[in-house]
Amino acid sequence: MWVFVTAYIAQVAEVELIPPDYTNNFGCPVPDRKNQILIHIGASAAHKRLTPMKWQGLISALVKNYSGQICLIGAGEEFSIAEDILKVVQSQKVVNFVGKTTLDEV
């Protein structure tokens, strides 16, 4: 599932993927979250962030093509971005956990 979601994100962001983009190089196992996709909607720098409109397109495509739950995560200051996304993507599959969880919880 990781490569599949990464490909969606790359398409929306209009970037070409290279192997480090879709391999786990962090020295830790990728958690097995069956039927759940976690999407961190923020970034460390403004120029790295997708616009709410691009997130809306990506998440809308996931809602149509994925049967599981889609969880938005991020820092508290990104909460309004998540709310903007959810105004357009109205699906019970999408849950807003932005500003409500810690790294250990996700």
Side-chain angles (χ1 to χ4, degrees):
M1 179 55 79
W2 177 250
V3 174
F4 175 72
V5 173
T6 303
Y8 264 125
I9 293 170
Q11 183 179 16
V12 170
E14 299 173 354
V15 297
E16 186 176 332
L17 294 177
I18 59 174
D21 294 327
Y22 52 84
T23 57
N24 177 9
N25 294 321
F26 303 110
C28 60
V30 175
D32 182 18
R33 296 188 176 277
K34 292 183 179 171
N35 298 318
Q36 190 177 61
I37 295 174
L38 302 179
I39 299 177
H40 190 282
I41 61 169
S44 58
H47 72 277
K48 295 181 177 181
R49 293 183 195 126
L50 293 180
T51 65
M53 192 168 126
K54 286 197 175 195
W55 277 123
Q56 292 162 354
L58 168 69
I59 294 168
S60 292
L62 288 172
V63 165
K64 289 178 186 173
N65 295 294
Y66 181 69
S67 62
Q69 185 180 50
I70 300 163
C71 303
L72 305 182
I73 60 172
E77 59 267 14
E78 297 158 345
F79 186 81
S80 64
I81 298 169
E83 290 297 304
D84 288 344
I85 293 166
L86 292 173
K87 286 177 187 172
V88 173
V89 182
Q90 298 180 358
S91 172
Q92 292 184 350
K93 291 183 190 179
V94 184
V95 181
N96 184 4
F97 288 117
V98 174
K100 301 175 185 176
T101 57
T102 65
L103 285 175
D104 290 335
E105 292 171 325
V106 296

